[in-house]
Coordinates of all heavy atoms in Angstrom, one line a residue:
R446 N -20.9 -10.8 27.8 CA -19.6 -11.4 28.1 C -19.0 -10.6 29.3 O -19.2 -9.4 29.4 CB -18.7 -11.3 26.9 CG -19.1 -12.1 25.7 CD -18.0 -12.2 24.7 NE -18.3 -13.2 23.6 CZ -18.6 -12.9 22.4 NH1 -18.5 -11.6 21.9 NH2 -18.8 -13.9 21.5
P447 N -18.3 -11.4 30.1 CA -17.6 -10.7 31.3 C -16.4 -9.9 30.9 O -15.4 -10.0 31.6 CB -17.3 -12.0 32.1 CG -17.0 -13.0 31.2 CD -18.0 -12.8 30.0
V448 N -16.5 -9.3 29.8 CA -15.3 -8.4 29.3 C -15.9 -7.1 28.8 O -17.0 -7.0 28.2 CB -14.6 -9.1 28.2 CG1 -13.4 -8.2 27.8 CG2 -14.1 -10.5 28.5
H449 N -15.2 -5.9 29.2 CA -15.8 -4.7 28.8 C -15.9 -4.6 27.2 O -15.0 -5.0 26.5 CB -14.8 -3.5 29.3 CG -15.4 -2.3 29.3 ND1 -15.5 -1.5 28.1 CD2 -15.9 -1.5 30.3 CE1 -16.0 -0.3 28.4 NE2 -16.4 -0.2 29.8
L450 N -17.0 -4.1 26.8 CA -17.2 -4.1 25.3 C -16.1 -3.3 24.6 O -15.7 -3.8 23.6 CB -18.6 -3.4 25.0 CG -19.0 -3.3 23.6 CD1 -19.2 -4.7 22.9 CD2 -20.2 -2.5 23.4
F451 N -15.7 -2.1 25.1 CA -14.6 -1.4 24.5 C -13.3 -2.2 24.4 O -12.6 -2.2 23.4 CB -14.4 -0.1 25.2 CG -13.3 0.7 24.6 CD1 -13.3 1.2 23.4 CD2 -12.2 1.1 25.5 CE1 -12.2 2.0 22.9 CE2 -11.2 1.9 25.0 CZ -11.1 2.3 23.6
Y452 N -13.0 -2.9 25.5 CA -11.8 -3.6 25.5 C -11.7 -4.8 24.5 O -10.7 -4.9 23.9 CB -11.7 -4.3 27.0 CG -10.4 -5.1 27.2 CD1 -9.2 -4.4 27.5 CD2 -10.4 -6.4 27.2 CE1 -8.0 -5.1 27.7 CE2 -9.3 -7.2 27.4 CZ -8.0 -6.5 27.7 OH -6.9 -7.2 27.9
Q453 N -12.8 -5.5 24.4 CA -12.8 -6.6 23.4 C -12.8 -6.1 22.0 O -12.1 -6.7 21.1 CB -14.1 -7.5 23.7 CG -15.4 -6.8 23.6 CD -16.5 -8.0 23.9 OE1 -16.6 -8.9 23.2 NE2 -17.3 -7.8 24.9
L454 N -13.5 -5.0 21.7 CA -13.5 -4.6 20.3 C -12.2 -3.9 20.0 O -11.7 -3.9 18.9 CB -14.6 -3.6 20.1 CG -16.1 -4.1 20.2 CD1 -17.2 -3.0 20.0 CD2 -16.2 -5.2 19.3
M455 N -11.6 -3.2 21.0 CA -10.3 -2.6 20.8 C -9.2 -3.7 20.5 O -8.3 -3.6 19.6 CB -9.9 -1.8 22.0 CG -8.5 -1.2 21.9 SD -8.0 -0.2 23.3 CE -8.0 -1.6 24.6
G456 N -9.3 -4.9 21.3 CA -8.4 -6.0 21.1 C -8.4 -6.5 19.7 O -7.4 -6.7 19.0
R457 N -9.7 -6.7 19.2 CA -9.9 -7.2 17.7 C -9.2 -6.2 16.8 O -8.6 -6.6 15.8 CB -11.4 -7.4 17.5 CG -12.0 -8.5 18.3 CD -13.5 -8.6 18.0 NE -14.2 -9.4 18.9 CZ -15.5 -9.4 19.1 NH1 -16.3 -8.6 18.2 NH2 -16.1 -10.2 19.9
E458 N -9.5 -4.9 17.0 CA -9.0 -4.0 16.0 C -7.5 -3.8 16.0 O -6.9 -3.6 15.0 CB -9.6 -2.6 16.4 CG -9.6 -1.6 15.2 CD -10.2 -2.1 13.9 OE1 -11.1 -2.8 14.0 OE2 -9.7 -1.7 12.9
W459 N -6.8 -4.0 17.2 CA -5.4 -4.0 17.1 C -4.8 -5.2 16.4 O -3.8 -5.0 15.7 CB -4.8 -4.0 18.6 CG -4.7 -2.7 19.2 CD1 -5.4 -2.3 20.4 CD2 -4.0 -1.5 18.8 NE1 -5.1 -1.0 20.8 CE2 -4.3 -0.5 19.8 CE3 -3.1 -1.3 17.8 CZ2 -3.7 0.8 19.7 CZ3 -2.6 0.0 17.6 CH2 -2.8 1.0 18.6
G460 N -5.5 -6.3 16.3 CA -5.2 -7.4 15.5 C -5.2 -7.0 14.0 O -4.3 -7.3 13.2
Q461 N -6.4 -6.3 13.7 CA -6.6 -5.8 12.3 C -5.4 -4.8 12.0 O -4.9 -4.9 10.8 CB -7.9 -5.2 12.2 CG -8.2 -4.4 10.9 CD -8.8 -5.4 9.9 OE1 -9.1 -6.5 10.2 NE2 -9.0 -4.9 8.7
I462 N -5.1 -3.9 12.8 CA -4.1 -2.9 12.6 C -2.7 -3.6 12.4 O -1.9 -3.2 11.5 CB -4.0 -1.9 13.6 CG1 -5.3 -1.1 13.6 CG2 -2.8 -1.0 13.6 CD1 -5.4 -0.1 14.8
G463 N -2.4 -4.6 13.3 CA -1.2 -5.3 13.1 C -1.0 -6.0 11.7 O 0.0 -6.0 11.1
Y464 N -2.2 -6.6 11.3 CA -2.2 -7.2 10.0 C -1.9 -6.1 8.8 O -1.1 -6.4 7.9 CB -3.5 -7.9 9.7 CG -3.7 -8.5 8.3 CD1 -3.1 -9.6 7.9 CD2 -4.3 -7.6 7.3 CE1 -3.2 -10.1 6.6 CE2 -4.4 -8.1 6.1 CZ -3.9 -9.4 5.7 OH -4.1 -9.8 4.4
Q465 N -2.6 -5.1 8.9 CA -2.4 -4.0 7.9 C -1.1 -3.4 8.0 O -0.5 -2.9 6.9 CB -3.5 -3.0 8.1 CG -4.9 -3.5 7.8 CD -6.0 -2.5 7.7 OE1 -7.1 -2.7 7.1 NE2 -5.8 -1.3 8.3
L466 N -0.5 -3.3 9.1 CA 0.9 -2.8 9.2 C 1.9 -3.7 8.5 O 2.7 -3.2 7.7 CB 1.3 -2.7 10.7 CG 2.8 -2.4 11.0 CD1 3.2 -1.1 10.6 CD2 3.1 -2.6 12.4
I467 N 1.8 -5.0 8.6 CA 2.7 -5.9 8.0 C 2.5 -6.1 6.5 O 3.4 -6.2 5.7 CB 2.6 -7.3 8.7 CG1 3.2 -7.1 10.2 CG2 3.6 -8.3 8.0 CD1 3.0 -8.3 11.0
Y468 N 1.2 -6.2 6.2 CA 0.8 -6.6 4.7 C 0.5 -5.4 3.9 O 0.2 -5.6 2.7 CB -0.3 -7.7 4.8 CG 0.2 -9.0 5.3 CD1 0.1 -9.5 6.6 CD2 0.9 -9.9 4.4 CE1 0.5 -10.6 7.0 CE2 1.3 -11.1 4.8 CZ 1.1 -11.5 6.1 OH 1.6 -12.7 6.6
K469 N 0.3 -4.3 4.5 CA 0.0 -3.1 3.6 C 0.9 -2.0 3.8 O 1.5 -1.4 2.9 CB -1.5 -2.7 3.9 CG -2.5 -3.8 3.5 CD -3.9 -3.3 3.7 CE -4.9 -4.4 3.2 NZ -6.3 -4.0 3.2
T470 N 1.1 -1.5 5.1 CA 1.9 -0.3 5.3 C 3.4 -0.6 5.0 O 4.0 0.3 4.3 CB 1.8 0.2 6.8 OG1 0.5 0.7 7.0 CG2 2.8 1.3 7.1
V471 N 3.9 -1.6 5.5 CA 5.4 -1.9 5.2 C 5.6 -2.1 3.8 O 6.7 -1.5 3.3 CB 5.8 -3.2 6.0 CG1 7.2 -3.6 5.7 CG2 5.7 -2.8 7.6
P472 N 4.8 -2.9 3.0 CA 5.2 -3.1 1.6 C 5.1 -1.7 0.9 O 6.0 -1.5 0.0 CB 4.1 -4.0 1.0 CG 3.7 -4.8 2.3 CD 3.8 -3.9 3.4
I473 N 4.1 -0.9 1.1 CA 4.0 0.4 0.5 C 5.2 1.3 0.8 O 5.7 2.0 0.0 CB 2.7 1.0 0.9 CG1 1.5 0.3 0.3 CG2 2.7 2.6 0.4 CD1 0.2 0.8 0.8
Y474 N 5.5 1.2 2.1 CA 6.8 1.9 2.6 C 7.9 1.6 1.7 O 8.7 2.5 1.3 CB 6.9 1.7 4.1 CG 8.1 2.3 4.7 CD1 8.2 3.6 5.0 CD2 9.3 1.5 5.0 CE1 9.3 4.3 5.6 CE2 10.3 2.1 5.7 CZ 10.4 3.4 6.0 OH 11.4 4.1 6.5
F475 N 8.3 0.3 1.6 CA 9.4 -0.1 0.9 C 9.4 0.2 -0.6 O 10.4 0.5 -1.3 CB 9.7 -1.6 1.1 CG 10.3 -2.0 2.3 CD1 9.7 -2.7 3.4 CD2 11.6 -1.5 2.6 CE1 10.3 -3.0 4.5 CE2 12.3 -1.9 3.8 CZ 11.5 -2.6 4.7
I476 N 8.1 0.2 -1.2 CA 8.0 0.6 -2.6 C 8.3 2.1 -2.7 O 9.1 2.4 -3.7 CB 6.5 0.4 -2.9 CG1 6.2 -1.1 -3.2 CG2 6.2 1.2 -4.3 CD1 4.7 -1.4 -3.4
Y477 N 8.0 3.0 -1.8 CA 8.3 4.4 -1.9 C 9.8 4.6 -1.6 O 10.4 5.6 -2.1 CB 7.4 5.2 -0.9 CG 6.0 5.2 -1.2 CD1 5.0 5.4 -0.3 CD2 5.6 5.0 -2.6 CE1 3.7 5.4 -0.7 CE2 4.3 5.0 -3.0 CZ 3.3 5.2 -2.0 OH 2.0 5.3 -2.3
I478 N 10.5 3.7 -0.8 CA 11.9 3.9 -0.6 C 12.6 3.7 -1.9 O 13.5 4.3 -2.4 CB 12.4 2.9 0.5 CG1 11.9 3.3 1.8 CG2 14.0 2.8 0.4 CD1 12.2 2.4 3.0
W479 N 12.1 2.6 -2.7 CA 12.7 2.2 -3.9 C 12.4 3.1 -5.1 O 13.3 3.5 -5.9 CB 12.2 0.8 -4.3 CG 12.7 0.3 -5.5 CD1 13.9 0.2 -6.1 CD2 11.8 -0.3 -6.6 NE1 14.0 -0.4 -7.4 CE2 12.7 -0.7 -7.6 CE3 10.5 -0.5 -6.7 CZ2 12.2 -1.2 -8.8 CZ3 10.0 -1.1 -7.9 CH2 10.9 -1.3 -8.9
T480 N 11.1 3.6 -5.1 CA 10.8 4.4 -6.3 C 11.0 5.9 -6.2 O 11.4 6.6 -7.2 CB 9.2 4.2 -6.6 OG1 8.5 4.5 -5.4 CG2 9.0 2.8 -7.0
I481 N 10.8 6.5 -4.9 CA 11.0 7.9 -4.9 C 12.1 8.4 -3.9 O 12.2 9.6 -3.5 CB 9.6 8.6 -4.5 CG1 9.1 8.2 -3.2 CG2 8.6 8.4 -5.6 CD1 7.9 8.8 -2.6
G482 N 12.7 7.4 -3.3 CA 13.8 7.7 -2.4 C 13.3 8.2 -1.1 O 14.0 9.1 -0.5
L483 N 12.2 7.7 -0.5 CA 11.7 8.1 0.8 C 12.9 7.9 1.7 O 13.4 6.8 1.9 CB 10.5 7.3 1.1 CG 9.9 7.6 2.5 CD1 9.3 9.0 2.5 CD2 8.8 6.6 2.8

């Protein structure tokens, strides 16, 4: 492909990280605010 291998794989991974931020990190974060007063 006419795209640098590192660039294309990094782009895909940022999408994965964005998903995990919204659907995993943020919910866990709010659970800890509620349960242990983070």
Side-chain angles (χ1 to χ4, degrees):
R446 291 191 174 115
V448 183
H449 198 282
L450 181 64
F451 176 59
Y452 182 79
Q453 55 179 301
L454 295 181
M455 176 181 63
R457 293 176 192 168
E458 196 59 30
W459 277 119
Q461 172 86 6
I462 290 171
Y464 172 85
Q465 295 191 157
L466 171 66
I467 295 173
Y468 288 96
K469 295 185 178 183
T470 292
V471 171
I473 293 172
Y474 176 75
F475 280 112
I476 287 173
Y477 292 157
I478 290 175
W479 175 53
T480 56
I481 62 174
L483 181 65

